[in-house]
Amino acid sequence: MTEFPDALPIDADTPTAEAVRIVKDWVNRAVPASWREAVAEGGLLALRAVRSRRDYEEWYPVFAESGLVAPHWPREYGGLGVGAPTLRAIEEVLAPYHLGRLNILGINLAGTTLLEWGTDEQRHRFLPPIVRNQQLWCQLFSEPGAGSDLPSLATRAERDGEGWRVTGQKVWSTWAHEADLGMLLARTDPNVPNREGITYFAIDMHQPGVTVRPLRQMNGDAEFCEVFLDEAWVPDANRIGPVHGGWRVARTTLSGERFMISGAGSGAGVDNLGGRSVERLIEQARAISARGRRPWD
């Protein structure tokens, strides 16, 4: 039995024109009619009026099972295995419907890294839940004393039987308070030059020894967090790449991050497309007005 039995009949050998036909047919069958009609009549603004964030999250499994969340990934991990030309053509078909990807850190950062550095077991364990938005990921790289000079990080991971004990602090970790797993860089050899003594791990964010504190912004949101690690446990099975070779692995993650921030990565702006930021702005304006003030005062 395949991992994604409802994936579209598209693969690396499918001609691009045929792939486009199949995706268009899927859109007409799978995307709710009210969403398609809103797009045809008024574009994004009309779509926001009929599709809430919750609506989108409830429908998202249909998107995930199709293979279209990450079409360039191999089929066994939730993609379709298509090359760049077909990928671009698929995205052009989907673009008008603003089907932003959820779990964008998982897709663009963790997924990209696992595809290049993960073992086959790790890919099968981690990638399908990323596609399905069942396991959220965060990035645990930056530290109070290691931001722009990331290789000077001080978080330590020390061997403990079949795994590692991690102690240290991370900061500016986006959505860490919602994450199930973290992409963690930790120093495993303090006696070698900085970049040579770092190892890359996937760490469970819901265990004792992991404390997450959201950093509240001026607008009331708390997307960034600081994370405290106090002998948190990471099994060696969650080590991604070689011991002391984590800097090379991290460069893959950082490349995925640049791709995402540039706007080329899947899912850019999904919060806005789902309406969460707009809804929050309306709620704040109503709360201010209820106190007898105008929103612009």
Side-chain angles (χ1 to χ4, degrees), residues 208-222:
V210 176
T211 301
V212 180
R213 295 179 183 171
L215 299 171
R216 191 69 56 184
Q217 300 160 218
M218 290 180 65
N219 63 358
D221 290 339

Side-chain angles (χ1 to χ4, degrees), residues 68-79:
L68 293 172
V69 166
H72 54 299
W73 287 14
R75 292 185 68 90
E76 60 265 36
Y77 306 136

Side-chain angles (χ1 to χ4, degrees), residues 2-296:
T2 60
E3 185 81 46
F4 290 80
D6 295 327
L8 297 182
I10 298 172
D11 58 29
D13 296 324
T14 304
T16 298
E18 176 64 6
V20 166
R21 185 195 66 77
I22 292 171
V23 174
K24 286 181 177 179
D25 178 67
W26 176 85
V27 167
N28 289 329
R29 288 185 293 105
V31 176
S34 61
W35 300 2
R36 290 186 278 112
E37 292 166 2
V39 167
E41 295 172 3
L44 178 56
L45 290 178
L47 179 60
R48 282 177 174 162
V50 299
R51 187 187 77 183
S52 69
R53 171 83 180 200
R54 179 173 296 181
D55 292 337
Y56 191 70
E57 290 176 344
E58 290 177 351
W59 173 82
Y60 196 77
V62 176
F63 192 22
E65 294 300 320
S66 71
L68 293 172
V69 166
H72 54 299
W73 287 14
R75 292 185 68 90
E76 60 265 36
Y77 306 136
L80 298 173
V82 303
T86 301
L87 174 62
R88 287 193 294 269
I90 288 173
E91 293 301 332
E92 287 178 4
V93 174
L94 298 179
Y97 304 98
H98 301 280
L99 303 180
R101 275 64 166 187
L102 303 177
N103 203 4
I104 60 173
L105 299 185
I107 293 172
N108 292 291
L109 278 62
T112 298
T113 304
L114 287 161
L115 285 170
E116 182 165 343
W117 293 95
T119 65
D120 191 55
E121 185 277 332
Q122 288 172 337
R123 293 170 186 161
H124 278 98
R125 178 157 49 104
F126 291 131
L127 293 179
I130 287 175
V131 169
R132 293 187 171 112
N133 193 40
Q134 294 171 336
Q135 286 184 332
L136 302 181
W137 288 68
C138 67
Q139 183 182 0
L140 302 176
F141 282 17
S142 295
E143 299 183 2
S148 58
D149 184 22
L150 182 57
S152 66
L153 61 89
T155 294
R156 297 285 187 91
E158 298 180 346
R159 277 283 192 180
D160 183 3
E162 296 298 316
W164 306 77
R165 291 290 176 186
V166 183
T167 299
Q169 181 183 353
K170 300 293 181 176
V171 73
W172 306 121
S173 299
T174 304
W175 301 319
H177 59 304
E178 300 177 353
D180 303 298
L181 293 160
M183 296 163 271
L184 170 72
L185 287 183
R187 186 160 305 287
T188 47
D189 187 347
N191 300 315
V192 297
N194 284 352
R195 296 187 181 188
E196 298 175 15
I198 294 172
T199 303
Y200 194 115
F201 302 95
I203 187 170
D204 178 4
M205 297 294 291
H206 300 307
Q207 62 170 302
V210 176
T211 301
V212 180
R213 295 179 183 171
L215 299 171
R216 191 69 56 184
Q217 300 160 218
M218 290 180 65
N219 63 358
D221 290 339
E223 295 180 349
F224 305 110
C225 303
E226 54 184 348
V227 179
F228 299 88
L229 305 164
D230 183 11
E231 296 191 354
W233 170 253
V234 184
D236 195 58
N238 281 22
R239 171 175 50 82
I240 301 172
V243 175
H244 310 323
W247 182 251
R248 285 177 292 153
V249 184
R251 290 177 63 182
T252 301
T253 305
L254 294 171
S255 177
E257 183 178 46
R258 288 191 293 269
F259 183 73
M260 179 183 68
I261 292 174
S262 72
S266 299
V270 69
D271 285 345
N272 290 336
L273 299 179
R276 186 165 70 178
S277 294
V278 173
E279 289 169 358
R280 179 174 177 79
L281 179 61
I282 293 172
E283 290 172 359
Q284 289 177 328
R286 285 173 175 166
I288 293 171
S289 296
R291 295 196 298 268
R293 296 170 53 197
R294 296 174 298 177
W296 52 86

